[in-house]
Amino acid sequence: MTAGHGPTLVHRAFVYSGDQEFLAAALPFVRAGLAADEVVLVAAPPPRLDLLRPALGADADPVLFVDVAEWYRHPVHTIAAYDGFLRANAPRRVRALAELQWAGRSALEIGEWVRYEAVVNAVFGRWAANALCAYDLNAAPPGVVDGVHRTHPEMVVGGRPRASARYTEPIRFSAECDRAPLPPPDGFDSIPIESADLHDVRSFVAARAADHGLPPAAVTRMLVAVTELATNAVEHGAPPMAVRVWSDGGDLCCEIADRGRWHPAAMLGYAPPATAADGGFGLWAARMLADVVQVRAGWDGTVVRLRMRLPGRTG
């Protein structure tokens, strides 16, 4: 696969109901990739993998089948994985068929997966890749199918690609995802950020996270994310600056707030930066480490809220 000199990504979706509709779209897509000697990846829930393998017969041998639970744990991890996969297989063209599994995801996590489809258009737009996303009409949560039409330039209907009349440019779509105000916390502990020396901030976050029952490995991830974001606040924000910690709906929340207007771009931190010195590294690191990262920027300052799942949360 090679990077093109213009937007060369083919990113389509199809909405189906039942096994036969799934196979009617999936089989021609996979077989066309094999015929073109492309690297073909299928990431889907096990029932879909078990359906597709025998339907392909001997053609299934070159296909890389991946349980979607392994490949699609977190949107930013998945973007990083695809980035590595594309580079590792270059110059061969990659063709990917993917279907998400929705069970166990919170509403905020589902929203980030919808946004992920928009981000893909921008991050991989210069790669000559071919992606087809499958959505089960009977399993997709409310609002997801509407998002499919807005995040895929083309939809496959009746075996033929059609331009999506509702397609929205990725930057605009991502900005819309950050438009609603964050709900205020119902009580929190806080500590001011007074300098670039963040020892007291890290000690405060570690103690509060442990008090709320966050496992040690997750505490470590949160501390790294908080350090990156608090450093951003010191460098780009304005006082007063503070870190707040509380629990909400089975998540531990940690918020870094300042009165500056550094306004991170709508898709900043979703694509892997080339080096740690690149702009957006701190936000990318935070997105890689936390379950959900929410950013809001306005006249009264900038807020970045991290959410990490506490033990025992079921959805």
Side-chain angles (χ1 to χ4, degrees):
M1 178 183 303
T2 57
H5 296 289
T8 54
L9 173 71
V10 177
H11 188 206
R12 296 169 177 156
F14 70 98
V15 179
Y16 72 92
S17 179
D19 292 351
Q20 294 309 308
E21 288 188 11
F22 173 81
L23 290 175
L27 284 173
F29 178 78
V30 171
R31 285 179 171 145
L34 295 173
D37 192 33
E38 297 173 347
V39 179
V40 180
L41 166 72
V42 176
R48 289 285 163 250
L49 299 179
D50 294 340
L51 177 68
L52 191 55
R53 277 195 189 97
L56 284 167
D59 290 341
D61 292 344
V63 178
L64 176 61
F65 291 96
V66 178
D67 185 340
V68 73
E70 300 175 13
W71 197 266
Y72 281 69
R73 294 178 184 273
H74 184 288
V76 182
H77 290 207
T78 303
I79 289 170
Y82 271 123
D83 183 74
F85 189 74
L86 289 165
R87 296 180 188 279
N89 285 283
R92 290 181 68 194
R93 184 182 177 94
V94 167
R95 177 176 292 237
L97 170 66
E99 178 174 353
L100 277 164
Q101 191 164 309
W102 301 103
R105 303 191 191 276
S106 69
L108 286 174
E109 290 168 335
I110 289 168
E112 284 301 292
W113 279 112
V114 174
R115 187 208 298 251
Y116 157 87
E117 294 281 30
V119 173
V120 162
N121 297 307
V123 173
F124 300 114
R126 290 177 59 83
W127 285 92
N130 195 334
L132 181 63
C133 305
Y135 285 83
D136 184 349
L137 189 60
N138 301 311
V144 166
V145 172
D146 178 69
V148 172
H149 291 269
R150 298 191 62 208
T151 56
H152 292 80
E154 294 181 324
M155 301 291 296
V156 176
V157 181
R160 295 179 178 275
R162 299 180 182 176
S164 175
R166 286 184 279 165
Y167 177 66
T168 305
E169 288 299 320
I171 292 176
R172 178 183 166 192
F173 186 91
S174 188
E176 288 179 11
C177 295
D178 295 331
R179 187 168 294 165
L182 295 176
D186 183 15
F188 58 84
D189 295 319
S190 69
I191 185 172
I193 303 172
E194 297 179 322
S195 72
D197 181 357
L198 300 173
H199 174 77
D200 290 346
V201 169
R202 284 192 290 266
S203 297
F204 165 82
V205 172
R208 297 307 183 278
D211 289 345
H212 284 283
L214 196 66
V219 172
T220 299
R221 294 199 306 274
M222 176 164 276
L223 288 177
V224 175
V226 168
T227 299
E228 292 290 345
L229 296 173
T231 299
N232 275 353
V234 170
E235 292 180 354
H236 305 293
M241 300 175 283
V243 174
R244 306 175 185 126
V245 178
W246 71 97
S247 62
D248 173 58
D251 289 343
L252 181 67
C253 299
C254 185
E255 184 174 274
I256 297 87
D258 68 82
R259 294 301 297 271
R261 298 185 59 238
W262 52 285
H263 283 249
M267 290 193 296
L268 187 68
Y270 281 96
T275 71
D278 285 5
F281 177 84
L283 192 52
W284 174 79
R287 294 193 195 279
M288 288 286 286
L289 293 164
D291 292 321
V292 174
V293 176
Q294 298 169 281
V295 181
R296 299 294 186 271
W299 290 103
D300 56 348
T302 300
V303 173
V304 183
R305 182 177 293 184
L306 309 174
R307 302 181 73 100
M308 298 191 75
R309 182 178 296 207
L310 291 167
R313 200 192 86 181
T314 57

